[in-house]
């Protein structure tokens, strides 16, 4: 697999073309961003940890019957993925209230949400990823009506699979963000699932083990990600 030109430099990953028009290389960098790029720092080894973490989770999802873009690990901090036509939408599932929903709705941080709830956001840093609804998605043509249904259904299925997985490691999956894209007429899970895009709390102490450590300046960010990986039985090389 030959690495070709740089196609896209995001806040945390760089995407390269390959000699196969249907495949891309995703390079997970050490850059860590919060508040839509307002706070950015390099955290040593984060790229390698997240790349291998993402590979592990994507494989678990694939084993459970969820189709994803993930093909294979290429190195500590690079993976080969299927090239998707990404929808400009972020899907968020919440099991416990934290972050923006607490500010927006005035609900208490840590409140159990039963059943879990779901929100769509527009992927647009300049607008600070505003919350949108399914009518916006249809009226502005950001996705087809059946894709809207599929995103909700897949997100809740992924929630059930991963909630159980993290609980085995004594962690609560508080919330997470997913991105989907089109491939060959189907909707596949793209982008990443890592502690950069979810909230994970220790089940007993509710200690934060995710990017909230960076957002809130708590320190020990990559160490927390490694702890999560260790609890899930991953063997990470940095
Ligand atoms: P951002 O700053 O956009 O949030 P990243 O630094 O994570 O994001 O960069 C990754 C970019 O690659 C994102 O724009 C994401 O939507 C896109 N992407 C993820 N997976 C795929 C894929 N399989 N095919 C095409 N683009 C993808
Ligand atoms: P929020 O509480 O800020 O809305 O975030 C909910 C979850 O989604 C949290 O785990 C962080 C994740 N998320 C991202 O990873 N990127 C984003 O751009 C947004 C809006 C949320
Ligand atoms: N993912 C967004 C960013 O990188 C928002 C956040 O995580 O706070 O800035």
């Amino acid at each position: 697999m030959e690495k070709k030109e740089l196609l896209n430099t995001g806040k945390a990953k760089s995407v390269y073309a390959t000699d196969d028009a249907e495949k891309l290389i995703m390079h997970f960098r050490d850059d860590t961003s919060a508040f839509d790029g307002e706070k950015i720092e390099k955290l040593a080894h984060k790229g390698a940890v997240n790349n291998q973490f993402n590979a592990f989770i994507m494989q678990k999802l694939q084993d459970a019957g969820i189709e994803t873009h993930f093909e294979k690990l290429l190195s500590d901090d690079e993976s080969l993925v299927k090239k998707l036509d990404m929808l400009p939408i972020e899907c968020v599932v919440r099991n416990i209230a934290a972050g923006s929903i607490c500010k927006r709705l005035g609900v208490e941080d840590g409140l159990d949400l039963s059943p879990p709830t779901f929100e769509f956001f527009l992927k647009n840093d300049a607008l600070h990823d505003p919350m949108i609804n399914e009518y916006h998605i249809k009226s502005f043509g950001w996705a087809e009506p059946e894709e809207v249904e599929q995103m909700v259904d897949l997100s809740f299925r992924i929630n059930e699979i991963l909630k159980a997985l993290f609980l085995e490691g004594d962690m609560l999956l508080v919330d997470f963000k997913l991105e989907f894209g089109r491939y060959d007429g189907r909707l596949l899970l793209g982008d990443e699932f890592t502690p950069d895009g979810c909230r994970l709390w220790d089940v007993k102490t509710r200690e934060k083990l995710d990017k909230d450590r960076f957002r809130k300046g708590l320190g020990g960010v990559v160490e927390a990600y490694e702890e999560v990986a260790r609890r899930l039985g991953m063997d990470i090389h940095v």
Side-chain angles (χ1 to χ4, degrees), residues 9-189:
T9 307
K11 295 189 294 295
K13 304 192 287 300
S14 302
V15 178
Y16 295 86
T18 68
D19 48 7
D20 179 342
E22 300 211 335
K23 306 264 165 62
L24 299 174
I25 292 175
M26 269 192 350
H27 172 220
F28 286 72
R29 307 194 313 272
D30 287 344
D31 295 300
T32 312
S33 146
F35 315 118
D36 307 313
E38 252 174 52
K39 176 175 177 179
I40 297 184
E41 273 173 41
K42 274 194 200 309
L43 300 178
H45 308 307
K46 198 209 55 156
V49 171
N50 273 2
N51 179 48
Q52 294 165 65
F53 193 107
N54 178 61
F56 180 91
I57 297 288
M58 291 278 168
Q59 262 150 8
K60 288 279 179 199
L61 290 174
Q62 265 163 208
D63 293 347
I66 304 284
E67 243 196 313
T68 85
H69 69 157
F70 182 76
E71 291 270 317
K72 63 175 179 179
L73 276 173
L74 294 175
S75 67
D76 284 357
D77 59 4
E78 288 178 315
S79 288
L80 187 70
V81 299
K82 291 188 179 72
K83 180 179 185 168
L84 306 186
D85 173 18
M86 298 301 290
L87 302 180
I89 294 169
E90 302 189 338
C91 298
V92 170
V93 176
R94 299 178 191 270
N95 295 304
I96 298 176
S100 74
I101 199 171
C102 295
K103 281 200 197 129
R104 206 176 331 111
L105 302 181
V107 295
E108 183 197 340
D109 180 271
L111 183 74
D112 271 321
L113 302 175
S114 181
T117 199
F118 179 93
E119 295 168 343
F120 285 118
F121 294 89
L122 182 65
K123 195 169 158 61
N124 185 322
D125 282 336
L127 297 178
H128 294 288
D129 293 349
M131 193 162 96
I132 53 173
N133 66 36
E134 61 185 270
Y135 295 95
H136 297 138
I137 296 178
K138 291 172 195 169
S139 300
F140 294 108
W142 291 320
E144 297 301 323
E146 55 276 17
E147 291 174 329
V148 171
E149 269 183 45
Q150 285 171 36
M151 283 189 281
V152 176
D153 176 56
L154 285 166
S155 298
F156 279 128
R157 281 173 58 198
I158 290 169
N159 186 41
E160 291 309 312
I161 298 162
L162 296 184
K163 217 168 37 171
L165 181 77
F166 285 109
L167 200 54
E168 281 174 32
D170 290 330
M171 290 170 283
L172 296 171
L173 177 58
V174 173
D175 59 30
F176 58 88
K177 181 267 298 180
L178 302 173
E179 294 181 26
F180 295 92
R182 297 175 184 136
Y183 182 82
D184 206 13
R186 311 188 306 281
L187 207 57
L188 267 56
L189 177 64

